[in-house]
Amino acid sequence: MTNRRKFVQSLGLMTSAFSASSLFQQAHAADFNKMLETKQHLSPAQLAEDEDFWAFVQQGYTTSPNIINLNNGGVSPSPRIVQEAVERYNKLSNEGPSYFMWRVLDQGREPLREKLAELAGCDKEEIAINRNATEALNTVIFGIDFKAGDEIIGTKQDYPNMINAWRQRALRDGIVYTQLSFDFPIENDAQIVDAFEKAITPKTKLLHVTHIINWVGQIMPVAKICAMAKKHGIEVLVDGAHTFGLLDFKIPDLGCDYFGTSLHKFLSAPIGSGMLWIKKDKIEKIWPLVCNDKPRGTDIRKFETLGTRSFPIEQGIGEAINFHNAIGSKRKEERIRYLKNYWTTQVKDVPGVKIHTSFKSAYSCAIAGVSIDGMTIAELDSALFTKYKIHTVGIVWENISCVRVTPHVYTRLKDLDKMVHAIKELAAQAKAKKS
Ligand SMILES: Cc1ncc(COP(=O)(O)O)c(C=O)c1O
């Protein structure tokens, strides 16, 4: 065996994508298994309320004890093990960048693709690894051939980067970009599917659907929209920035054609990681955003010619998948939904408080919007931080006006108790001011 092969093999012992020997396996796997063995009798919904188990998960994170971060919808922290992997790969990269990045760490990309594909429930040849949801979705938005007059339907409640991308295509290529507008929460799938269907014309080529609306957390009926679109011979691009690593689903089951997501939200992968899924038979027709020698090729890797980027971040994704898998997708979804319900149910009947998100599990999971009569959104967001050190985000976008609150698996009940206390106190103060 050559020295280089020996070295690469020994490095495999610290490469996250080689799961049998990952940092996670070395540091956490045995404890996780032991803990889960004692909880086997609990369903995911029952385990969602088991504070022993979640305290164990919380210990995997290094979040600040000084602020309560309830803006995980923006970007989520990585567990310690993921951070350590990135730091380790970064140090290694700096020992000899081109050697360690392009000849050594690069070896981890294919195993990582397999791990992502397993989590997504798809063929690994349908997964491209990139830096964020914006990059993934823009690859499709700018990569499809459309002619002037072709129509795309999205919504005013989609993410601005994608709205702007479609607008740019409209300006540049003369496509027609139609935006529906919804008043969320909506607890009726047919209402949403019908609105898309009514907007379809003979020129409609694609529907752009945001899987979870980032502003208020509405879960959109993506599978039903895709089934309807298929009947009309129309493609669907799904913005799954908020669903991959949160909801327990497999991408092919949605019935869409394209799916882009960030990995640095609910999967807790390193900040600056994303993924694009393209149905196998569609890969050939999508032009890469950053060019490759085979722009019309059928190999999904044509979307990964990104130039020099962070290999440590990319390889750190593997440890995030290990951490996620150790918890389990369904258990994670149920816990995060439980946390959202935990705080919203305690404040929903407080006079002056409005929750802008459905309480039904089919329509919401992590994200909920809240507002208080007599306070502007900016005032509420600012009061939560300055008085209670609770970090949230104020949303004023189209017809939506609320403070968005997003817990994650590491969020402690006592932090949500502070949130509940803060909302009650602020609502009482706003009421007193009014009278
Ligand atoms: C619905 C939605 N799509 C896309 C994005 C963009 O994600 P990224 O910053 O990873 O590109 C976001 C970010 O919050 C989002 O909420």
Side-chain angles (χ1 to χ4, degrees), residues 73-75 131-137 157-162 208 210-215 239-242 260-265 272-274 367 404:
V75 62
R131 293 169 294 195
N132 51 57
T134 302
E135 187 168 64
L137 294 160
Q157 289 77 27
D158 292 326
Y159 194 70
N161 290 1
M162 295 356 122
H208 179 112
T210 303
H211 199 172
I212 283 187
I213 302 289
N214 54 294
W215 316 111
D239 177 345
H242 284 269
T261 185
S262 326
L263 301 175
H264 47 228
K265 291 189 194 284
S273 56
I367 295 174
R404 183 182 75 182

Side-chain angles (χ1 to χ4, degrees), residues 174-242:
I175 64 160
V176 177
Y177 174 46
T178 303
Q179 288 178 283
L180 309 175
S181 186
F182 291 105
D183 274 318
F184 296 125
I186 297 175
E187 297 178 340
N188 176 355
D189 287 347
Q191 186 185 332
I192 297 175
V193 179
D194 290 353
F196 272 99
E197 190 162 27
K198 276 199 193 106
I200 289 173
T201 77
K203 291 190 168 175
T204 305
K205 293 287 184 290
L206 183 139
L207 309 183
H208 179 112
V209 184
T210 303
H211 199 172
I212 283 187
I213 302 289
N214 54 294
W215 316 111
V216 278
Q218 171 88 29
I219 300 179
M220 297 288 270
V222 170
K224 290 181 185 170
I225 294 171
C226 291
M228 176 276 291
K230 204 172 248 168
K231 281 197 283 173
H232 293 272
I234 292 169
E235 295 189 329
V236 181
L237 167 62
V238 175
D239 177 345
H242 284 269

